[in-house]
């Protein structure tokens, strides 16, 4: 074999073994070296090319691994016959990975964003650090399909103290967000169930296995209109009674009673209670959960840690009535928990030692101040803007007396570096509003920036600012 065909460029950035490997491989593919040809020994080729035998050995080993060469003990290296397949030598691709960058607005009034500056990073890091240790090696295995018992126990205790909910850890199922848990509930309740949903309401619900089974029910200032529910053939209703999303309405005491009575009238009737934003209430006493009032095992309670801790934690849970536990075990015994075990134990320990309650109390004060600032600005400077849903939660609804449509106003705001979200995004069935109506989330806006953000939004919409009355 003519060894002169293998010329190596020692100034090239490509390693010598790779240059040699490519040279021999190309010669074999293009039939420049015949099948059965014996390659030079490592020693001879190393001497000829003035390189180390180790370099030769690495190149030969790769050729053997890919089937171009065979090694015969004490005899040498021989070219193998390769399949006569079409071969295209490709130039190396210079691939640039483009990161999908979302636009960052100066003011983003998204209702789901939280105050990140107030998160207790040092304490969370302490609990995370204490777990990521060899002593926690058992957590590397798959855990309980309903979620870690320690976390379910802490959730059960917390809900009893804060919401009056009586439950056992065995009734609780943990999952990575409402979007993961809802399909499980829908499957549990059966494919023939008819679901009633608030209109406007949680926008992800219709996209999850409901198709033509969704029946929209109107919402007013007292929450879901139960009288309209009773006129339908629905046997399951999904509701956010503590702070209706997105209107902010609180289900009145009378309607709570009527809704529980509706559920009690049918064996297969159930209420899915999403306790959205229940932790943050600014006017009056906390509203009791429907589950705590239920005497007939008709309420499936749901909640998350998205607002109370962080959306990225992806920890949500539901509490099943005892009457559905056996069916759940039969249907989902093969499932695995979708929240990492380490994350569950960090949260459980954080709750166990009282830091979750302390954090929640602190955030209530912070969001209350933001809420008061927001409403005070509108009442003082923009009295024509109608505010609703301001009793609880981390957003309000504003209706602006303008002739332009919601989409046009949203685009005008975006052009001025402001993100705002129309209520029409959450409609299951069209509703005619007197004025364009928007959700105005304040969770992620710093307290000292709220006034500036509101003024800029109103200014870009040409809503005049009313001067403060003089005080004597």
């Amino acid at each position: 074999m003519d060894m002169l065909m293998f010329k190596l460029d020692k100034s090239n950035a490509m390693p010598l073994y790779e240059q040699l490997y490519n040279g021999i491989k190309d010669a074999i593919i293009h039939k420049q070296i015949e099948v059965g040809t014996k390659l030079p020994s490592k020693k001879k080729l190393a001497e000829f090319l003035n390189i180390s035998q180790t370099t030769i050995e690495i190149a030969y080993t790769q050729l053997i691994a890919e089937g171009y060469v065979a090694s015969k003990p004490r005899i040498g290296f021989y070219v193998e016959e390769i399949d006569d397949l079409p071969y295209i030598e490709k130039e190396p691709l210079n691939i640039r990975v483009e990161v999908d960058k979302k636009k960052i607005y100066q003011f983003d009034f998204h209702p789901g964003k939280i105050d990140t500056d107030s998160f207790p990073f040092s304490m969370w890091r302490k609990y995370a650090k204490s777990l990521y240790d060899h002593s926690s090696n058992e957590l590397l295995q798959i855990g309980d399909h309903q979620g870690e018992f320690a976390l379910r126990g802490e959730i059960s205790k917390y809900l009893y103290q804060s919401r009056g909910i009586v439950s056992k850890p065995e009734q609780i199922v943990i999952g990575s967000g409402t979007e993961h848990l809802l399909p499980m509930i829908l499957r549990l309740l059966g494919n023939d169930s008819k679901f009633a949903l608030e209109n406007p309401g949680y926008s992800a619900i219709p996209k999850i296995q409901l198709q033509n089974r969704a029946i929209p029910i109107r919402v007013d200032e007292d929450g879901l209109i139960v009288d309209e529910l009773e006129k339908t053939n629905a046997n399951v209703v999904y509701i956010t009674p503590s702070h209706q999303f997105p209107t902010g309405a609180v289900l009145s005491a009378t309607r709570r009673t009527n809704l529980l009575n509706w559920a009690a009238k049918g064996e297969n009737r159930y209420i899915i209670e999403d306790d959205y934003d229940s932790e943050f209430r600014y006017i009056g006493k906390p509203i009791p959960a429907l589950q705590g009032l239920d005497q007939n095992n008709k309420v499936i309670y749901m909640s998350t840690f998205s607002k109370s801790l962080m959306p990225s934690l992806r920890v949500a849970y539901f509490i099943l009535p005892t009457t559905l536990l056996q069916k759940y075990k039969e249907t989902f015994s093969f499932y695995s928990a979708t929240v990492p075990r380490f994350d569950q134990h960090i949260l459980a320990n954080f709750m166990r030692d009282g830091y979750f309650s302390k954090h929640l109390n602190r955030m209530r004060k912070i969001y209350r101040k933001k809420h008061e600032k927001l409403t005070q600005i509108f009442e003082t400077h923009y009295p024509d803007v109608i505010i609703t849903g301001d009793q609880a939660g981390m957003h309000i609804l504003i209706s602006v007396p303008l002739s332009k449509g919601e989409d046009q106003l949203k685009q005008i705001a975006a052009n001025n570096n402001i993100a705002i979200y129309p209520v029409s995004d959450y409609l299951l069935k069209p509703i005619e509003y007197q004025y364009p109506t928007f959700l105005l989330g304040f969770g992620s806006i710093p307290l000292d920036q709220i006034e500036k953000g509101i003024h800029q939004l109103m200014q870009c919409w040409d809503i005049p600012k009313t001067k403060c009355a003089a005080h004597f």
Side-chain angles (χ1 to χ4, degrees), residues 380-383 451 455 458 462-468:
T380 304
H381 299 291
Y382 307 100
E451 184 164 7
H455 288 324
M458 296 296 106
D462 294 325
I463 298 177
K465 176 182 176 182
T466 301
K467 292 183 179 180
C468 299

Side-chain angles (χ1 to χ4, degrees), residues 1 9 19 33 47 54 68 72 104 113 163 221 232 240 242 279 299 305 314 344 350 406 429 433:
M1 188 183 98
D9 182 1
Q19 293 183 49
I33 304 178
E47 290 175 351
T54 302
Y68 293 104
K72 298 181 180 180
I104 299 176
K113 289 183 174 288
R163 307 291 290 129
E221 63 274 8
T232 71
T240 50
S242 296
E279 298 94 346
V299 177
F305 289 91
R314 305 304 299 154
Q344 293 188 56
F350 190 75
E406 286 181 355
K429 182 179 179 181
Y433 286 89

